[in-house]
Amino acid sequence: MPTSLLPNDILNICGETLKIHGYWLASGILGVAASTMIRAVHAGADAVVTKSLGSSPRKGHAGPVLTASHGGLLNAIGLTNPGIDAFEDEMKLLNKAKIPVIMSVFGNTPKEIAHIVEKAVKMKPSAIELNLSCPHAEISQISHSPDLTYKYVKSAKEIADVPVFAKLTPNASDYVSVGKAAQEAGADAIVAINTVRGMRIDIHQQQPILGNMVGGLSGPSIFPIAVRCVYDLYKTLSIPIIGVGGVSSWEDAVEMHLAGARAIQIGTAVMNDIDVFSKIKNGVSRYIEESGLNSVDDIIGAGVKS
Ligand SMILES: Cc1cc2nc3c(=O)[nH]c(=O)nc-3n(C[C@H](O)[C@H](O)[C@H](O)COP(=O)(O)O)c2cc1C
């Protein structure tokens, strides 16, 4: 397996530029237990993104919170999490295992995000991912607004001594302006995309399936939406784009790189097959070798040059 075609470092600061690489576990997919995140790394993930953590424990929405739909999942979990303080012990285990961890955090105000980021950086993550975009929680509005996005990212950047990523929604009509605002506020990379707002109705009960009525769609059916968002953001921004949304095969990963993604996160596909990371890495490496190229860097944005 020609793994050398894929750089090993996930975050590598070369001069002024942050080089980001690899295939990471997306936020929220395997929860907050260190043991399951370590399992993902043993299965080939280069890094893990934690479930989004807030300032205090949060129960989330009433059930049902998850349903299968059109080859993917519709979820309205509602940011269930134990609160950032309760994550400290898990983080110690992850650091002990030398796992690159990106801590995903959210807050209800820029002041609250600063407070959470202050706590997060003390736990020594590799980077912080700001969830500005969960489509079934109050924070969903942040990444619809360039102004709010600017304020949240700026607030986090003033505190963080590690790279800060802004995770955007595909549900905003002008997500490119939102991306620009994140870049102007100092975001080190953009993560695109969070889930796509959706709804299902039970035809027998004649009522919405999810307790929250509306949820976020993930998995293969959102892949073309994610490719379009990555492309639009790549074309306009100068900071790296981390692609996420519906990737489940090496062919998807190559396509996401061609659209402009430097690193790729994988979510829903992991629930079907935890070995998806190594399958993707092997496939991408083979593709690069058979194309006569030197590294994955040679295909980033290569599909959208004109
Ligand atoms: C059950 C579930 C829980 C999720 N929880 C979070 C979360 O806490 N924070 C976040 O930023 N994204 C969360 N997401 C979104 C994923 O990280 C990812 O952006 C989205 O699912 C698209 O990728 P995928 O199609 O590969 O799953 C969640 C997705 C699912 C399916």
Side-chain angles (χ1 to χ4, degrees), residues 25-30 49-53 65-66 73-77 79-81 104-106 129-136 167-168 191-196 216-223 244-248 265-271:
L25 174 70
S27 177
I29 303 301
L30 294 182
V49 186
T50 67
K51 173 82 193 156
S52 296
L53 298 156
V65 294
L66 197 62
L73 289 177
L74 186 67
N75 94 83
I77 290 179
L79 290 177
T80 307
N81 80 97
S104 171
V105 296
F106 68 95
E129 184 174 291
L130 301 178
N131 180 357
L132 308 171
S133 50
C134 177
H136 44 84
K167 185 166 180 183
L168 303 191
V191 181
I193 56 176
N194 211 317
T195 53
V196 178
L217 186 64
S218 62
S221 47
I222 71 166
F223 179 67
V244 52
V247 175
S248 61
Q265 296 180 5
I266 300 145
T268 303
V270 178
M271 295 186 189

Side-chain angles (χ1 to χ4, degrees), residues 170-194:
N171 305 315
S173 53
D174 190 6
Y175 55 83
V176 173
S177 295
V178 174
K180 275 191 209 157
Q183 178 172 285
E184 275 161 30
D188 297 281
I190 297 292
V191 181
I193 56 176
N194 211 317

Side-chain angles (χ1 to χ4, degrees), residues 32 56 66 76 96 127 129-130 133 150 171 181 184 213 233 238 240 242 246 271 281 299 302:
V32 287
S56 51
L66 197 62
K96 201 169 154 207
E129 184 174 291
L130 301 178
S133 50
Y150 182 91
N171 305 315
E184 275 161 30
M213 294 175 67
L233 292 160
S238 54
I242 300 165
M271 295 186 189
K281 287 162 84 170
I299 61 168

Side-chain angles (χ1 to χ4, degrees), residues 256-270:
M256 194 71 109
H257 284 310
L258 290 172
R262 292 207 65 90
I264 293 177
Q265 296 180 5
I266 300 145
T268 303
V270 178

Side-chain angles (χ1 to χ4, degrees), residues 23-194:
Y23 303 91
W24 310 351
L25 174 70
S27 177
I29 303 301
L30 294 182
V32 287
S35 55
T36 44
M37 288 188 259
I38 291 172
R39 206 174 139 225
V41 170
H42 288 162
D46 295 301
V48 294
V49 186
T50 67
K51 173 82 193 156
S52 296
L53 298 156
S55 59
S56 51
R58 186 178 152 112
K59 258 175 82 179
H61 295 312
V65 294
L66 197 62
T67 185
S69 182
H70 297 78
L73 289 177
L74 186 67
N75 94 83
I77 290 179
L79 290 177
T80 307
N81 80 97
I84 191 152
D85 295 329
F87 188 64
E88 200 168 353
D89 288 345
E90 301 303 314
M91 194 61 189
K92 279 185 189 148
L93 293 172
L94 290 162
N95 283 340
K96 201 169 154 207
K98 301 202 186 317
I99 304 280
V101 179
I102 291 90
M103 279 180 78
S104 171
V105 296
F106 68 95
N108 291 312
T109 62
K111 201 170 158 197
E112 192 184 26
I113 213 70
H115 181 62
I116 295 169
V117 168
E118 195 175 3
K119 287 188 172 189
V121 291
K122 286 193 185 135
M123 297 184 203
K124 305 268 171 241
S126 299
I128 304 274
E129 184 174 291
L130 301 178
N131 180 357
L132 308 171
S133 50
C134 177
H136 44 84
E138 307 79 3
I139 59 157
S140 71
Q141 285 316 305
I142 304 169
S143 72
H144 284 257
S145 157
D147 185 43
L148 283 177
T149 298
Y150 182 91
K151 287 183 179 138
Y152 277 76
V153 173
K154 186 97 186 144
S155 188
K157 279 296 290 181
E158 274 163 11
I159 305 287
D161 56 1
V162 291
V164 172
F165 310 148
K167 185 166 180 183
L168 303 191
T169 180
N171 305 315
S173 53
D174 190 6
Y175 55 83
V176 173
S177 295
V178 174
K180 275 191 209 157
Q183 178 172 285
E184 275 161 30
D188 297 281
I190 297 292
V191 181
I193 56 176
N194 211 317

